[in-house]
Amino acid sequence: MSTFRTIDDLPADSRVLVRLDLNSPIDDGEPQDNRRFERHAETVRELAEAGHRVVLMAHQGRPGRDDFTSLSGHATILAEHVGRDVAFVADTYGDEALAAIDALDAGEILLLENTRMCDDELPEASPEDKSQTEFVTALAPHVDAYVNDAYSAAHRKHASLVGFPLVLPAYAGRVMETEYEANTAIATREFDGPVTMVVGGTKATDVIGVMDALAGKVDRFLLGGVAGELFLRAAGHPVGHDVGDMDLFDEQWAANRELIESVLDERGDAIHLATDLAYEGDDGERAEVAVADIDEKTEGYLDVGSETVAAYGPPIRESDAVFVKGALGVFEDERFADGTVGVLEAIAETDCFSVVGGGDTSRAIEMYGLDEADFSHVSIAGGAYIRALTGESLPAVELLEDAAAAE
Ligand SMILES: Nc1ncnc2c1ncn2[C@@H]1O[C@H](COP(=O)(O)OP(=O)(O)OP(=O)(O)O)[C@@H](O)[C@H]1O
Ligand SMILES: O=C(O)[C@H](O)COP(=O)(O)O
């Protein structure tokens, strides 16, 4: 259990500065609704209903990238989820922002502009340095308390995440509480039976690092996606090569080859690899091939095959806990969704403790009509989930723990 002060501990009628993570896919300049809005809305609604004056901060994208936008569209989506007005001010800590904060009445909600539009936010620095930036020193006197709900950004040492807890009483929001507990479970909880981890997706470098770090905690790894093909390649099969203009395999193979070979060598008995793979046949339909029959590099494989999906079911059903990181195939294309959906269905049928992480993978849950309630937790964190899985501490979380300990 964490040792945070939570929003239950806030003094009545506070003016609270709340850090959310509303970083979202952007389409045609507009933020797309997603789980992050729905989850953070609970914290925001609870604060407003309790009569606090609620000032929200969040980031979107990074300067120089296409997804670096204003948060005005985010305010509209958030308001729909909260069921209350969310005012927006196109300023981070200037006179306009401060005047809007001062004018708030009890129960009103205000979203400030993208924190990354302010120069003090981004360069990573110590909490002490961040707490002395103009961004923090200008905003802090206009509020009574700081609430961090942005677990999924807590690995970043940015001003809005690590600067405020040093100058204001700091509390954890509801999303921070639930994400912390579920995501640290693999590193901190004892399970009675086997622990299984489903490993896939495109970020092989990240997940192979997690496999290495968790070798002693996880009883079996079920592999697919890019990492799965790289392990098959290490086992001597001619797969996991970039085909056409793909750039997923060769670079990650060069960067991780030694680690993959040593993990396979030391934990080979715990690593389950696909025995068949799926690809796009000449007729455009899904085609499958047994891994043992692949003797030359010709195809780009886009999913694990049906024999593999069937073989991954029993170990999941026997598990006491299952953690998912990354999809087993290109599930966005229905032809190649069998691996990802197959393991999610197997998990949903059990009553084991289960955490599904990663923004992309968790999207498969609604795409294929699965019920989120059948999983113990569907995480909204990407980079922070990876770090939590390996037991690495997150700077912004540590500061909330320090704040509670110093009480
Ligand atoms: N064999 C494959 N070839 C190409 N892409 C694949 C393959 N298998 C899975 N994918 C892709 O992996 C993506 C999910 O992987 P990613 O590593 O981004 O994981 P995530 O954990 O869901 O997301 P994030 O960490 O970005 O929040 C899916 O969009 C899927 O299309
Ligand atoms: O979307 C995320 O994973 C977090 O908001 C962190 O965003 P960043 O990787 O741009 O810092």
Side-chain angles (χ1 to χ4, degrees), residues 201-203 225 229 248 301 325-332 358-361:
T202 53
K203 295 168 196 148
E229 283 191 56
L248 284 172
Y301 298 103
K325 178 63 189 101
L328 295 191
V330 183
F331 68 85
E332 294 87 346
D360 286 320
T361 311

Side-chain angles (χ1 to χ4, degrees), residues 1-6 172 180 397-398 400-405 407:
M1 281 299 280
S2 71
T3 43
F4 300 141
R5 282 186 304 201
T6 73
Y180 175 89
V397 169
E398 260 180 45
L400 291 180
E401 290 171 332
D402 293 349
E407 227 184 3

Side-chain angles (χ1 to χ4, degrees), residues 190-196 316 318-322 351-354:
E190 293 291 330
F191 294 100
D192 297 333
V195 176
T196 296
I316 287 173
E318 287 157 17
S319 295
D320 207 34
V322 182
D351 53 9
C352 70
F353 179 80
S354 57

